[in-house]
């Protein structure tokens, strides 16, 4: 160096892709956007993925607004690995994580920015902390194509021949998930297990449409009995007034595979 010259520090940051981690992410089967200031029923700043058969209870999420980069620390193991994560659902400001016989909620909050972090230059003001808490330890969802958001409440069916709704996400409430299919339960259980496992559902014109085999069951979720279900303490009494309709769609040997609703 010559006299009067200025010394500068050059910092070089390098990264590499681990083939094992890449295979883990690319093996995921389903995803949704969630988290951050843009989060909501249709938005979010991070892509959440799960469903890799080799990692049955693993949920991973991407960097902010970058679905092609998954930082190695952005993951949670949801419950034990004896049950796989089957689906995601959104209700209010939470991401609902379904397993076969368990349900969890994932929430987020801004990470605490400490004085030490600011002085060290490591504080990130738009970072978030994700937390997982249980909703129900006995009821999950093993038929993920039936999950729909109806009147701001998740509704889904299981292969046990019942339809459920998420009433409360409070882990200290025994009635977090409640059945809504009492009026048609005997009909649902007439279907064989393969039909129940391949069921699907759609949300259209104020009705929850549940396709099982060649039969569609419609629930009117605009009724007061569904809207105020969470206020009732007697499940049987409140379910008796829920409106269900049965529609036989067997036509000329046609086998129906999937029902989907979109707009009008």
């Amino acid at each position: 160096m010559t006299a009067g010259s200025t010394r500068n520090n050059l910092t070089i940051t390098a990264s590499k892709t681990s083939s094992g981690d890449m295979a883990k992410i690319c093996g995921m089967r389903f995803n949704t956007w969630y988290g951050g200031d843009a989060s909501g029923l249709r938005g979010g700043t991070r892509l959440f993925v799960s469903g890799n058969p080799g990692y049955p209870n693993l949920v991973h999420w991407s960097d902010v607004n970058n679905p092609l980069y998954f930082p190695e620390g952005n993951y949670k193991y949801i419950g034990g690995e004896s049950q796989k994560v089957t689906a995601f659902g959104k209700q209010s400001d939470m991401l609902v994580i379904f397993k076969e016989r368990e349900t969890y909620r994932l929430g987020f909050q801004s990470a605490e920015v400490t004085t030490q972090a600011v002085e060290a230059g490591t504080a990130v003001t738009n970072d978030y902390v994700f937390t997982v808490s249980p909703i129900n330890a006995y009821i999950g969802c093993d038929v993920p194509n039936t999950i729909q958001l109806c009147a701001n409440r998740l509704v889904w069916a299981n292969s046990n021949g019942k339809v459920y709704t998420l009433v409360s996400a409070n882990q200290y409430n025994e009635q977090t998930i409640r059945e809504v299919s009492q009026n048609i339960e005997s009909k649902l259980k007439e279907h064989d297990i393969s039909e129940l496992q391949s069921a699907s559902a759609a949300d259209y014109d104020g009705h929850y449409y549940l396709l099982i085999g060649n039969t569609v069951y419609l629930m009117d979720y605009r009724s007061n009995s569904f809207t105020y279900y969470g206020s009732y303490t007697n499940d049987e009494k409140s379910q008796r007034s829920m409106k269900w309709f049965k529609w036989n769609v067997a036509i000329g040997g046609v086998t129906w595979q999937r029902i989907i609703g979109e707009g009008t």
Side-chain angles (χ1 to χ4, degrees):
M1 296 181 60
T2 58
S5 61
T6 302
R7 182 184 295 274
N8 290 319
N9 293 325
L10 177 64
T11 301
I12 300 176
T13 302
S15 63
K16 66 183 293 292
T17 299
S18 168
S19 59
D21 290 344
M22 183 175 180
K24 183 188 301 181
I25 299 301
C26 292
M28 299 297 187
R29 302 296 177 84
F30 53 89
N31 66 82
T32 191
W33 286 94
Y34 177 73
D37 295 332
S39 188
L41 297 180
R42 298 188 181 278
T45 58
R46 296 160 176 82
L47 186 68
F48 280 71
V49 296
S50 190
N52 188 324
Y55 303 87
N57 61 332
L58 176 65
V59 171
H60 227 298
W61 61 90
S62 73
D63 200 9
V64 179
N65 294 320
N66 186 358
L68 299 181
Y69 174 50
F70 287 77
E72 61 179 0
N74 286 14
Y75 69 89
K76 294 274 187 188
Y77 284 101
I78 311 300
E81 62 180 13
S82 61
Q83 288 187 54
K84 64 181 179 181
V85 174
T86 57
F88 296 133
K90 291 183 182 181
Q91 182 169 319
S92 62
D93 62 346
M94 62 184 171
L95 178 66
V96 180
I97 303 175
F98 292 97
K99 302 186 73 174
E100 294 164 296
R101 297 178 303 281
E102 296 174 348
T103 306
Y104 294 81
R105 65 171 293 177
L106 187 141
F108 68 93
Q109 59 186 24
S110 298
E112 181 180 359
V113 179
T114 64
T115 302
Q116 292 82 357
V118 173
E119 292 175 349
T122 58
V124 182
T125 57
N126 65 343
D127 202 9
Y128 290 85
V129 173
F130 292 95
T131 58
V132 175
S133 57
I135 293 177
N136 194 292
Y138 305 100
I139 302 173
C141 178
D142 60 356
V143 189
N145 287 335
T146 64
I147 299 172
Q148 294 292 325
L149 186 67
C150 302
N152 297 316
R153 190 183 299 158
L154 289 171
V155 178
W156 68 94
N158 271 351
S159 62
N160 62 0
K162 296 183 179 182
V163 181
Y164 298 98
T165 187
L166 178 59
V167 174
S168 168
N170 185 347
Q171 62 179 309
Y172 303 107
N173 185 341
E174 294 181 353
Q175 296 183 315
T176 54
I177 296 175
R178 299 168 71 174
E179 183 186 352
V180 294
S181 55
Q182 175 182 292
N183 288 342
I184 59 166
E185 188 171 324
S186 61
K187 297 296 182 183
L188 296 181
K189 291 188 176 180
E190 290 177 359
H191 294 275
D192 60 46
I193 187 66
S194 62
E195 288 183 327
L196 291 168
Q197 289 175 336
S198 60
S200 59
D203 171 19
Y204 176 67
D205 192 30
H207 289 76
Y208 174 76
Y209 284 68
L210 176 63
L211 172 67
I212 305 177
N214 287 331
T215 304
V216 176
Y217 300 90
L218 290 77
M219 180 185 69
D220 184 356
Y221 63 75
R222 297 169 299 187
S223 64
N224 287 340
S225 54
F226 179 84
T227 302
Y228 299 107
Y229 192 16
S231 303
Y232 303 138
T233 57
N234 188 315
D235 267 12
E236 292 188 3
K237 182 178 179 180
S238 56
Q239 283 195 69
R240 280 198 295 269
S241 59
M242 288 191 180
K243 298 178 181 179
W244 279 95
F245 307 91
K246 182 182 177 182
W247 179 21
N248 189 340
V249 292
I251 303 173
V254 173
T255 300
W256 300 92
Q257 299 294 335
R258 181 80 182 268
I259 187 170
I260 298 174
E262 179 66 28
T264 58

